[in-house]
Amino acid sequence: MDDTKHPAPAVAPVTADPWAGLRQFTDARIALGRCGSSLPLAESLRFRLDHARARDAVLAPFRREEIAARLAGAGIPCLELDSAVADRNEYLTRPDKGRTLRPDSATLLQAQPAGFDLCLVIADGLSSLAIHENAVPFARAFLTALAPSGLTVGPVCVVRHGRVAVADDIGALLQARLSVILIGERPGLSSPDSMGVYLTWNPRPGTTDEARNCISNVRRGGLPLIEGVRKLCYLVEEAFRMHGSGVGLKDRMPAGHLPFGRELQLPE
């Protein structure tokens, strides 16, 4: 075959972006450069990989038993619960069912002692990956920091197919004054492992979102775990001081804040 009759098509050179140096400071998709009028091939492939990782985070099975076993191994009592959702497909299409407990889980909670200051809930949400990586060390650090306060805490409730408002059902059944839920956030292309933390004063079914406070993007490449715990402790202190949460509870945490007057440390 004579190659001179069929020359290889010309390949447009990759044009670097002048802001490319800023990429060392962020995982955000900035300064990608271009090849002709399109993305360079390497960036196009990286986009597809990030998208696949985000889908995996949503669809990965929730290892609830493993989470419960790790908590129990640290001496933390916990309960394994289900929302009213039947499977992952229904979870994605029926948000209302993810906000309520399945009847047998509600019955299990009704049989527990009640009247706690605080209940802690862990739910897979939209990223099981985020919970697998962050929830147990976060819960251990938070409960350790909370201990000197004297506040009573119910058993940690680990919920499969849960959304934020499922903590309202749990808080009401445990008659808790404040609920805190750790939940996997909707994955971004650069953050499939992001965990959110919501707290709600006087949690009851029908509570609306303006009554909640949120700490977002707790993960290795986002808000460090220890700083997320510090922020949560501050908001808990303020919620009990003012007997409320949501739009009335502002984040005015001073630099170097000591949760409940103690140095904060992560468990081993």
PDB file of all heavy atoms in Angstrom, residues 17 50 100 140 167 170:
ATOM      1  N   ASP A  17      -4.292  25.882  28.292  1.00  0.00           N
ATOM      2  CA  ASP A  17      -5.018  27.011  28.853  1.00  0.00           C
ATOM      3  C   ASP A  17      -4.054  27.845  29.701  1.00  0.00           C
ATOM      4  O   ASP A  17      -3.260  27.292  30.477  1.00  0.00           O
ATOM      5  CB  ASP A  17      -6.169  26.496  29.729  1.00  0.00           C
ATOM      6  CG  ASP A  17      -7.112  27.604  30.155  1.00  0.00           C
ATOM      7  OD1 ASP A  17      -6.716  28.429  31.010  1.00  0.00           O
ATOM      8  OD2 ASP A  17      -8.231  27.659  29.616  1.00  0.00           O
ATOM      9  N   ASP A  50     -14.683  10.126  35.381  1.00  0.00           N
ATOM     10  CA  ASP A  50     -15.305  10.776  36.541  1.00  0.00           C
ATOM     11  C   ASP A  50     -16.810  10.524  36.558  1.00  0.00           C
ATOM     12  O   ASP A  50     -17.409  10.333  37.628  1.00  0.00           O
ATOM     13  CB  ASP A  50     -15.030  12.284  36.516  1.00  0.00           C
ATOM     14  CG  ASP A  50     -13.584  12.608  36.834  1.00  0.00           C
ATOM     15  OD1 ASP A  50     -12.884  11.719  37.353  1.00  0.00           O
ATOM     16  OD2 ASP A  50     -13.161  13.745  36.552  1.00  0.00           O
ATOM     17  N   THR A 100     -39.324   8.180  54.818  1.00  0.00           N
ATOM     18  CA  THR A 100     -40.102   7.537  55.887  1.00  0.00           C
ATOM     19  C   THR A 100     -39.542   6.145  56.163  1.00  0.00           C
ATOM     20  O   THR A 100     -38.922   5.515  55.301  1.00  0.00           O
ATOM     21  CB  THR A 100     -41.581   7.411  55.498  1.00  0.00           C
ATOM     22  OG1 THR A 100     -41.676   6.657  54.270  1.00  0.00           O
ATOM     23  CG2 THR A 100     -42.196   8.777  55.280  1.00  0.00           C
ATOM     24  N   ARG A 140     -17.525   8.496  65.406  1.00  0.00           N
ATOM     25  CA  ARG A 140     -16.724   8.229  66.603  1.00  0.00           C
ATOM     26  C   ARG A 140     -16.137   9.523  67.174  1.00  0.00           C
ATOM     27  O   ARG A 140     -16.166   9.755  68.384  1.00  0.00           O
ATOM     28  CB  ARG A 140     -15.610   7.247  66.267  1.00  0.00           C
ATOM     29  CG  ARG A 140     -16.084   5.826  65.985  1.00  0.00           C
ATOM     30  CD  ARG A 140     -14.909   4.903  65.709  1.00  0.00           C
ATOM     31  NE  ARG A 140     -14.012   4.837  66.856  1.00  0.00           N
ATOM     32  CZ  ARG A 140     -12.807   4.285  66.823  1.00  0.00           C
ATOM     33  NH1 ARG A 140     -12.361   3.750  65.708  1.00  0.00           N
ATOM     34  NH2 ARG A 140     -12.044   4.268  67.905  1.00  0.00           N
ATOM     35  N   ALA A 167     -34.579  11.169  59.240  1.00  0.00           N
ATOM     36  CA  ALA A 167     -34.169  11.468  60.616  1.00  0.00           C
ATOM     37  C   ALA A 167     -35.292  12.135  61.404  1.00  0.00           C
ATOM     38  O   ALA A 167     -35.262  12.116  62.644  1.00  0.00           O
ATOM     39  CB  ALA A 167     -32.924  12.359  60.618  1.00  0.00           C
ATOM     40  N   ILE A 170     -37.229   9.188  62.834  1.00  0.00           N
ATOM     41  CA  ILE A 170     -36.429   8.548  63.897  1.00  0.00           C
ATOM     42  C   ILE A 170     -36.388   9.419  65.144  1.00  0.00           C
ATOM     43  O   ILE A 170     -36.581   8.937  66.271  1.00  0.00           O
ATOM     44  CB  ILE A 170     -35.005   8.268  63.366  1.00  0.00           C
ATOM     45  CG1 ILE A 170     -35.079   7.221  62.254  1.00  0.00           C
ATOM     46  CG2 ILE A 170     -34.087   7.797  64.486  1.00  0.00           C
ATOM     47  CD1 ILE A 170     -33.766   7.028  61.496  1.00  0.00           C
TER      48      ILE A 170
END
